Amino acid sequence: EAGVVQSPRYKIIEKKQPVAFWCNPISGHNTLYWYRQNLGQGPELLIRYENEEAVDDSQLPKDRFSAERLKGVDSTLKIQPAELGDSAVYLCASSRGFRGLNEKLFFGSGTQLSVL
Amino acid sequence: AQKITQTQPGMFVQEKEAVTLDCTYDTSDPSYGLFWYKQPSSGEMIFLIYQGSYDQQNATEGRYSLNFQKARKSANLVISASQLGDSAMYFCAMREDTGANSKLTFGKGITLSVRP
């Protein structure tokens, strides 16, 4: 079974430029998550999808961040325009979505973003 | 207040010895789940072990065990017979039973280095 696939692995951009990250979850996983991990910190949730619906986007900075999950499979996270403080690792995760306490998240390798 | 606290500085252990990684948590919810994830330098978060708040026994998964002390609100990870491949960041996380917006909250992580 293929794991969560993310691309690109690394991205370097200048501030004020747009950037997009792509995620393909594990087949059959209904729930998809985007997390941001700052250097030396744990991941923090940005947005959670149940199929096509964004059910928790309370931590997503909506002035510059947007996300979509068309057809309930792949997802794209976009930043426009990027700021220096956006430099971080952006992790995508997926889970089956039965909402039990023990529901495991499966993570991709992340996209490391550097904003210059 | 921090929901998950991991305060140990970088940890070092000799190969084949056991090591304990500390985690304390804060919740008023009687129903919650605790997780440990490993993040090697490749960036992917790997699930290690899960403990439910109502589980009677401490969780074990191969060389990993969880020392769950509910009254003290601690959930320490014990790795037995350390291997060089155990060198990584380790994150403690908690899911509280908060309904539709239940999410996994991570601590800041602990760096473990295994010496040959």
Side-chain angles (χ1 to χ4, degrees):
Chain A
E1 177 181 85
V4 177
V5 179
Q6 290 188 247
S7 69
R9 185 74 177 89
Y10 303 93
K11 189 73 177 178
I12 301 173
I13 61 171
E14 294 188 345
K15 63 181 181 181
K16 301 185 182 179
Q17 294 299 306
V19 64
F21 315 122
W22 175 81
C23 173
N24 179 243
I26 292 173
S27 178
H29 280 193
N30 297 324
T31 307
L32 183 146
Y33 313 75
W34 283 103
Y35 278 83
R36 177 168 60 187
Q37 186 177 18
N38 293 314
L39 188 64
Q41 303 292 318
E44 295 178 331
L45 182 68
L46 291 174
I47 188 168
R48 174 169 64 97
Y49 281 93
E50 297 281 352
N51 299 303
E52 308 87 12
E53 184 183 358
V55 296
D56 183 0
D57 63 356
S58 57
Q59 301 302 310
L60 190 72
K62 298 181 184 62
D63 56 337
R64 297 183 300 107
F65 286 65
S66 64
E68 60 182 12
R69 191 184 184 197
L70 301 176
K71 301 182 182 179
V73 182
D74 295 2
S75 177
T76 303
L77 178 69
K78 298 178 181 177
I79 309 175
Q80 182 169 10
E83 297 179 352
L84 296 176
D86 296 331
S87 295
V89 175
Y90 290 83
L91 292 164
C92 179
S94 70
S95 67
R96 288 192 174 88
F98 63 86
R99 290 191 191 169
L101 279 176
N102 62 344
E103 182 172 342
K104 288 188 298 187
L105 271 61
F106 296 83
F107 284 82
S109 296
T111 296
Q112 185 169 324
L113 174 67
S114 297
V115 182
L116 307 177
Chain B
Q2 292 265 353
K3 289 215 179 254
I4 297 287
T5 302
Q6 296 180 264
T7 59
Q8 288 170 304
M11 294 288 288
F12 294 86
V13 64
Q14 201 68 31
E15 193 178 8
K16 299 181 185 178
E17 294 187 349
V19 63
T20 298
L21 305 182
D22 295 342
C23 172
T24 59
Y25 59 91
D26 181 29
T27 181
S28 57
D29 209 319
S31 182
Y32 52 89
L34 296 159
F35 299 75
W36 277 91
Y37 277 82
K38 171 185 178 181
Q39 188 177 41
S41 57
S42 60
E44 183 179 349
M45 300 279 284
I46 302 167
F47 167 79
L48 296 178
I49 197 166
Y50 168 81
Q51 178 83 44
S53 59
Y54 291 120
D55 292 345
Q56 294 297 312
Q57 293 187 324
N58 286 344
T60 61
E61 291 280 355
R63 294 187 298 112
Y64 305 108
S65 61
L66 206 149
N67 183 0
F68 181 45
Q69 298 187 41
K70 195 170 182 178
R72 297 179 61 185
K73 294 188 175 179
S74 74
N76 299 339
L77 177 70
V78 180
I79 305 175
S80 62
S82 296
Q83 301 172 356
L84 295 178
D86 292 335
S87 295
M89 285 285 291
Y90 288 80
F91 292 91
C92 180
M94 177 173 64
R95 176 182 283 116
E96 296 167 285
D97 188 13
T98 56
N101 286 330
S102 174
K103 64 181 181 183
L104 205 55
T105 302
F106 289 84
K108 292 185 177 182
I110 302 167
T111 302
L112 176 65
S113 299
V114 180
R115 293 174 168 147

